[in-house]
Amino acid sequence: MGFFSRKSNDTPANPEMTELGREYAIARRHGDRKTVRRITRQIGESGLSGSDRASFEQGRDSYDAIPPAYSKRRNRRR
């Protein structure tokens, strides 16, 4: 039983939207505002169905569940 084990094998309805959700979460974690805006605009223009939105959120949540590899810099503390 590993640290990142997934007991449920829920396959997303739309793998493309899952990957887009993962890309969105990565960009948001790393502060890439340009990519976050691009993905948000792309989602707004496409008009997602319920299953597409669920796939997007599943991809976003799967990346958000992974803890950061390093902590933020603390050199500005007083």
Side-chain angles (χ1 to χ4, degrees), residues 16-71:
E16 293 174 4
M17 291 305 295
T18 304
E19 185 60 33
L20 192 63
R22 195 173 295 121
E23 185 179 339
Y24 176 83
I26 291 169
R28 193 180 64 212
R29 181 179 285 185
H30 294 281
D32 187 1
R33 293 181 305 197
K34 183 178 178 182
T35 304
V36 170
R37 284 191 205 121
R38 179 183 57 82
I39 293 171
T40 304
R41 196 172 336 126
Q42 182 178 352
I43 289 173
E45 291 172 354
S46 65
L48 297 177
S49 66
S51 63
D52 287 345
R53 185 167 301 281
S55 296
F56 179 81
E57 290 174 1
Q58 184 178 6
R60 188 183 66 200
D61 294 340
S62 70
Y63 187 80
D64 286 339
I66 301 171
Y70 54 89
S71 61

Side-chain angles (χ1 to χ4, degrees), residues 7-20:
K7 300 225 180 221
S8 63
N9 190 8
D10 296 332
T11 56
N14 189 347
E16 293 174 4
M17 291 305 295
T18 304
E19 185 60 33
L20 192 63

